Amino acid sequence: MKPPESNYTIAVILGDGIGPEIVGAASTVLKRTAELDNFTVELIQYEAGAAAYQKYGDPLPSPAQAGCRQADAIFKGPTGLPDVRLPDGTEAGVLGGRLRNGLDLYVNLRPIKLYPNIPTALANRQAGDIDWVMVRENTEGLYASRGNGIVANTGQAATDTLMITRLGSERIIRYAFEEARRRNRQKRVACVDKSNVLRSFAFFRQIFREIAAEYPDIQTDFLYVDAAAQALVLEPDRFDVIVTENLFGDILSDLGGATVGGIGVCAGANIGDQHAYFEPIHGSAPALAGRGVANPLAAILAAGLMLNYLGRPESAARIERAVEQAFLDKAVVLRPDGSAESGTQAVAKAIHSRL
Ligand code: IPM
Ligand code: MN
């Protein structure tokens, strides 16, 4: 968290598909929050993502790169479209590698929290029962191979290599322990790995034990990733902070999302020592785009995570409370396809009026 300022410059990437609609909705909530708490946010838009790739041949053109580096924080809508692909078959518009590795944003923080009146996929769970945060390593693991996969044997085989480093592990694990202290809830960090099978994960777990020794006030828990997938469904109240490798964190955060009403209510923060960006964790949902039906809550909650990072925890709490109140009042009803019953604008208004 940074020290608070009275003026913030935010680089905004609207994104593809439903991106412009939900980022627009979240921007009105962000501006209103700033107004109520007596500071200003200047939002500067940059073209980036699949549309930018189609137009310029680069999903992150240099104005966006420079703007992101200069800003106090980056607010990003979902980018990428299923049909816009690189010659190697991967999606051209996703910015994960460019921003996360380019800006060394090694923490991917994803709160998984069940709000009131949300129909959860889990029986007998209520608001308060599920409240944990994923601390996903964001720069290495299996995704260290992003853009570097190898197709061998004259096209008959392909490999991606999982890489776990000491530095990368130490810093993400330390962040997880600090996060458990900041949250001050169960004060427990779960290490999720596959150290029963893979050497790289035994290495990660060893480093986890070393760092844990620096935090005698925080409890530890150890789960193999397969068992963790089950536990997140059967005993979600066991979790406070989870730290894990990049791909495992990617998968388990969506699984967590399913337990709290879907990833349409899940926001993520990508944080490094110098820069950070904030985004809904869902994709660009092209099928919903342009219809005014997309649910902007994940983007709105991402704005809250951003304000917390910018040294404005009371403003972040204001947004979270407004979302909670909107659910309590049944002012927001979500549909299974990721849309909101009343539409994008109505959801934004429901939050705006409860700030
Ligand atoms: C996420 C996404 C990205 C990832 C994709 C879109 C590149 O799934 O942020 O969770 O792989 O990390
Ligand atoms: Mn994902």
PDB file of all heavy atoms in Angstrom, residues 109-113 131-134 183 260 265-269 305:
ATOM      1  N   LEU A 109      -3.299 -10.983  -6.603  1.00  0.00           N
ATOM      2  CA  LEU A 109      -4.112 -11.064  -5.384  1.00  0.00           C
ATOM      3  C   LEU A 109      -5.582 -11.124  -5.771  1.00  0.00           C
ATOM      4  O   LEU A 109      -6.079 -10.231  -6.460  1.00  0.00           O
ATOM      5  CB  LEU A 109      -3.841  -9.799  -4.570  1.00  0.00           C
ATOM      6  CG  LEU A 109      -4.454  -9.698  -3.181  1.00  0.00           C
ATOM      7  CD1 LEU A 109      -3.646 -10.560  -2.221  1.00  0.00           C
ATOM      8  CD2 LEU A 109      -4.405  -8.251  -2.699  1.00  0.00           C
ATOM      9  N   ARG A 110      -6.268 -12.192  -5.352  1.00  0.00           N
ATOM     10  CA  ARG A 110      -7.661 -12.370  -5.770  1.00  0.00           C
ATOM     11  C   ARG A 110      -8.537 -12.726  -4.581  1.00  0.00           C
ATOM     12  O   ARG A 110      -8.587 -13.883  -4.162  1.00  0.00           O
ATOM     13  CB  ARG A 110      -7.725 -13.465  -6.840  1.00  0.00           C
ATOM     14  CG  ARG A 110      -6.969 -13.052  -8.091  1.00  0.00           C
ATOM     15  CD  ARG A 110      -7.015 -14.085  -9.176  1.00  0.00           C
ATOM     16  NE  ARG A 110      -6.742 -13.449 -10.457  1.00  0.00           N
ATOM     17  CZ  ARG A 110      -6.716 -14.070 -11.613  1.00  0.00           C
ATOM     18  NH1 ARG A 110      -6.951 -15.363 -11.672  1.00  0.00           N
ATOM     19  NH2 ARG A 110      -6.478 -13.410 -12.728  1.00  0.00           N
ATOM     20  N   PRO A 111      -9.235 -11.758  -4.028  1.00  0.00           N
ATOM     21  CA  PRO A 111     -10.128 -12.054  -2.905  1.00  0.00           C
ATOM     22  C   PRO A 111     -11.334 -12.880  -3.364  1.00  0.00           C
ATOM     23  O   PRO A 111     -11.934 -12.577  -4.398  1.00  0.00           O
ATOM     24  CB  PRO A 111     -10.595 -10.665  -2.437  1.00  0.00           C
ATOM     25  CG  PRO A 111      -9.665  -9.680  -3.077  1.00  0.00           C
ATOM     26  CD  PRO A 111      -9.190 -10.326  -4.344  1.00  0.00           C
ATOM     27  N   ILE A 112     -11.641 -13.914  -2.613  1.00  0.00           N
ATOM     28  CA  ILE A 112     -12.810 -14.763  -2.901  1.00  0.00           C
ATOM     29  C   ILE A 112     -13.733 -14.639  -1.697  1.00  0.00           C
ATOM     30  O   ILE A 112     -13.442 -15.155  -0.612  1.00  0.00           O
ATOM     31  CB  ILE A 112     -12.381 -16.230  -3.113  1.00  0.00           C
ATOM     32  CG1 ILE A 112     -11.387 -16.355  -4.281  1.00  0.00           C
ATOM     33  CG2 ILE A 112     -13.609 -17.112  -3.316  1.00  0.00           C
ATOM     34  CD1 ILE A 112     -11.953 -16.046  -5.665  1.00  0.00           C
ATOM     35  N   LYS A 113     -14.810 -13.918  -1.899  1.00  0.00           N
ATOM     36  CA  LYS A 113     -15.673 -13.601  -0.766  1.00  0.00           C
ATOM     37  C   LYS A 113     -17.130 -13.801  -1.162  1.00  0.00           C
ATOM     38  O   LYS A 113     -17.555 -13.331  -2.222  1.00  0.00           O
ATOM     39  CB  LYS A 113     -15.417 -12.133  -0.381  1.00  0.00           C
ATOM     40  CG  LYS A 113     -16.278 -11.645   0.748  1.00  0.00           C
ATOM     41  CD  LYS A 113     -15.839 -10.253   1.175  1.00  0.00           C
ATOM     42  CE  LYS A 113     -16.909  -9.633   2.046  1.00  0.00           C
ATOM     43  NZ  LYS A 113     -16.527  -8.304   2.517  1.00  0.00           N
ATOM     44  N   ASP A 131     -14.411 -16.504   2.717  1.00  0.00           N
ATOM     45  CA  ASP A 131     -13.706 -15.220   2.693  1.00  0.00           C
ATOM     46  C   ASP A 131     -12.215 -15.507   2.754  1.00  0.00           C
ATOM     47  O   ASP A 131     -11.638 -15.577   3.833  1.00  0.00           O
ATOM     48  CB  ASP A 131     -14.156 -14.358   3.884  1.00  0.00           C
ATOM     49  CG  ASP A 131     -13.606 -12.944   3.788  1.00  0.00           C
ATOM     50  OD1 ASP A 131     -12.699 -12.704   2.966  1.00  0.00           O
ATOM     51  OD2 ASP A 131     -14.090 -12.082   4.550  1.00  0.00           O
ATOM     52  N   TRP A 132     -11.637 -15.738   1.589  1.00  0.00           N
ATOM     53  CA  TRP A 132     -10.208 -16.018   1.548  1.00  0.00           C
ATOM     54  C   TRP A 132      -9.574 -15.276   0.380  1.00  0.00           C
ATOM     55  O   TRP A 132     -10.282 -14.726  -0.464  1.00  0.00           O
ATOM     56  CB  TRP A 132      -9.914 -17.525   1.475  1.00  0.00           C
ATOM     57  CG  TRP A 132     -10.577 -18.309   0.377  1.00  0.00           C
ATOM     58  CD1 TRP A 132     -11.789 -18.932   0.421  1.00  0.00           C
ATOM     59  CD2 TRP A 132     -10.062 -18.573  -0.948  1.00  0.00           C
ATOM     60  NE1 TRP A 132     -12.053 -19.575  -0.769  1.00  0.00           N
ATOM     61  CE2 TRP A 132     -11.005 -19.375  -1.618  1.00  0.00           C
ATOM     62  CE3 TRP A 132      -8.881 -18.220  -1.619  1.00  0.00           C
ATOM     63  CZ2 TRP A 132     -10.823 -19.824  -2.934  1.00  0.00           C
ATOM     64  CZ3 TRP A 132      -8.698 -18.664  -2.919  1.00  0.00           C
ATOM     65  CH2 TRP A 132      -9.662 -19.458  -3.564  1.00  0.00           C
ATOM     66  N   VAL A 133      -8.262 -15.238   0.370  1.00  0.00           N
ATOM     67  CA  VAL A 133      -7.628 -14.551  -0.741  1.00  0.00           C
ATOM     68  C   VAL A 133      -6.540 -15.410  -1.372  1.00  0.00           C
ATOM     69  O   VAL A 133      -5.751 -16.069  -0.688  1.00  0.00           O
ATOM     70  CB  VAL A 133      -7.132 -13.124  -0.353  1.00  0.00           C
ATOM     71  CG1 VAL A 133      -6.809 -12.968   1.060  1.00  0.00           C
ATOM     72  CG2 VAL A 133      -5.999 -12.656  -1.214  1.00  0.00           C
ATOM     73  N   MET A 134      -6.598 -15.461  -2.681  1.00  0.00           N
ATOM     74  CA  MET A 134      -5.584 -16.161  -3.461  1.00  0.00           C
ATOM     75  C   MET A 134      -4.393 -15.237  -3.659  1.00  0.00           C
ATOM     76  O   MET A 134      -4.559 -14.111  -4.131  1.00  0.00           O
ATOM     77  CB  MET A 134      -6.183 -16.528  -4.831  1.00  0.00           C
ATOM     78  CG  MET A 134      -5.174 -17.037  -5.857  1.00  0.00           C
ATOM     79  SD  MET A 134      -4.316 -18.519  -5.328  1.00  0.00           S
ATOM     80  CE  MET A 134      -5.621 -19.745  -5.469  1.00  0.00           C
ATOM     81  N   ARG A 183      -4.839  -8.839   6.938  1.00  0.00           N
ATOM     82  CA  ARG A 183      -6.246  -9.234   7.016  1.00  0.00           C
ATOM     83  C   ARG A 183      -6.678  -9.443   8.454  1.00  0.00           C
ATOM     84  O   ARG A 183      -7.811  -9.159   8.818  1.00  0.00           O
ATOM     85  CB  ARG A 183      -6.464 -10.560   6.248  1.00  0.00           C
ATOM     86  CG  ARG A 183      -6.590 -10.387   4.757  1.00  0.00           C
ATOM     87  CD  ARG A 183      -6.480 -11.725   4.046  1.00  0.00           C
ATOM     88  NE  ARG A 183      -7.550 -12.668   4.369  1.00  0.00           N
ATOM     89  CZ  ARG A 183      -8.760 -12.667   3.822  1.00  0.00           C
ATOM     90  NH1 ARG A 183      -9.081 -11.752   2.937  1.00  0.00           N
ATOM     91  NH2 ARG A 183      -9.663 -13.564   4.166  1.00  0.00           N
ATOM     92  N   VAL A 260     -18.541 -18.548  -4.978  1.00  0.00           N
ATOM     93  CA  VAL A 260     -19.099 -17.292  -4.460  1.00  0.00           C
ATOM     94  C   VAL A 260     -20.000 -16.600  -5.480  1.00  0.00           C
ATOM     95  O   VAL A 260     -20.190 -15.385  -5.436  1.00  0.00           O
ATOM     96  CB  VAL A 260     -17.983 -16.324  -3.974  1.00  0.00           C
ATOM     97  CG1 VAL A 260     -17.220 -16.939  -2.809  1.00  0.00           C
ATOM     98  CG2 VAL A 260     -17.019 -15.934  -5.091  1.00  0.00           C
ATOM     99  N   VAL A 265     -18.061 -11.770  -9.939  1.00  0.00           N
ATOM    100  CA  VAL A 265     -17.927 -10.931  -8.734  1.00  0.00           C
ATOM    101  C   VAL A 265     -16.508 -11.001  -8.173  1.00  0.00           C
ATOM    102  O   VAL A 265     -16.301 -10.709  -7.004  1.00  0.00           O
ATOM    103  CB  VAL A 265     -18.935 -11.304  -7.621  1.00  0.00           C
ATOM    104  CG1 VAL A 265     -20.333 -10.860  -7.990  1.00  0.00           C
ATOM    105  CG2 VAL A 265     -18.907 -12.797  -7.323  1.00  0.00           C
ATOM    106  N   CYS A 266     -15.552 -11.356  -9.032  1.00  0.00           N
ATOM    107  CA  CYS A 266     -14.178 -11.518  -8.541  1.00  0.00           C
ATOM    108  C   CYS A 266     -13.219 -10.557  -9.240  1.00  0.00           C
ATOM    109  O   CYS A 266     -13.144 -10.523 -10.467  1.00  0.00           O
ATOM    110  CB  CYS A 266     -13.699 -12.942  -8.763  1.00  0.00           C
ATOM    111  SG  CYS A 266     -14.690 -14.160  -7.871  1.00  0.00           S
ATOM    112  N   ALA A 267     -12.492  -9.809  -8.432  1.00  0.00           N
ATOM    113  CA  ALA A 267     -11.532  -8.846  -8.956  1.00  0.00           C
ATOM    114  C   ALA A 267     -10.126  -9.315  -8.626  1.00  0.00           C
ATOM    115  O   ALA A 267      -9.920 -10.099  -7.694  1.00  0.00           O
ATOM    116  CB  ALA A 267     -11.780  -7.484  -8.330  1.00  0.00           C
ATOM    117  N   GLY A 268      -9.166  -8.822  -9.379  1.00  0.00           N
ATOM    118  CA  GLY A 268      -7.777  -9.189  -9.125  1.00  0.00           C
ATOM    119  C   GLY A 268      -6.869  -7.981  -9.149  1.00  0.00           C
ATOM    120  O   GLY A 268      -7.081  -7.036  -9.914  1.00  0.00           O
ATOM    121  N   ALA A 269      -5.843  -8.037  -8.296  1.00  0.00           N
ATOM    122  CA  ALA A 269      -4.807  -7.007  -8.282  1.00  0.00           C
ATOM    123  C   ALA A 269      -3.506  -7.661  -8.705  1.00  0.00           C
ATOM    124  O   ALA A 269      -3.176  -8.745  -8.237  1.00  0.00           O
ATOM    125  CB  ALA A 269      -4.660  -6.448  -6.872  1.00  0.00           C
ATOM    126  N   LEU A 305      -9.950  -2.511  -5.029  1.00  0.00           N
ATOM    127  CA  LEU A 305      -8.597  -3.035  -4.763  1.00  0.00           C
ATOM    128  C   LEU A 305      -7.547  -1.989  -5.121  1.00  0.00           C
ATOM    129  O   LEU A 305      -6.527  -1.847  -4.438  1.00  0.00           O
ATOM    130  CB  LEU A 305      -8.346  -4.309  -5.581  1.00  0.00           C
ATOM    131  CG  LEU A 305      -9.149  -5.560  -5.214  1.00  0.00           C
ATOM    132  CD1 LEU A 305      -8.776  -6.705  -6.156  1.00  0.00           C
ATOM    133  CD2 LEU A 305      -8.895  -5.963  -3.766  1.00  0.00           C
TER     134      LEU A 305
END
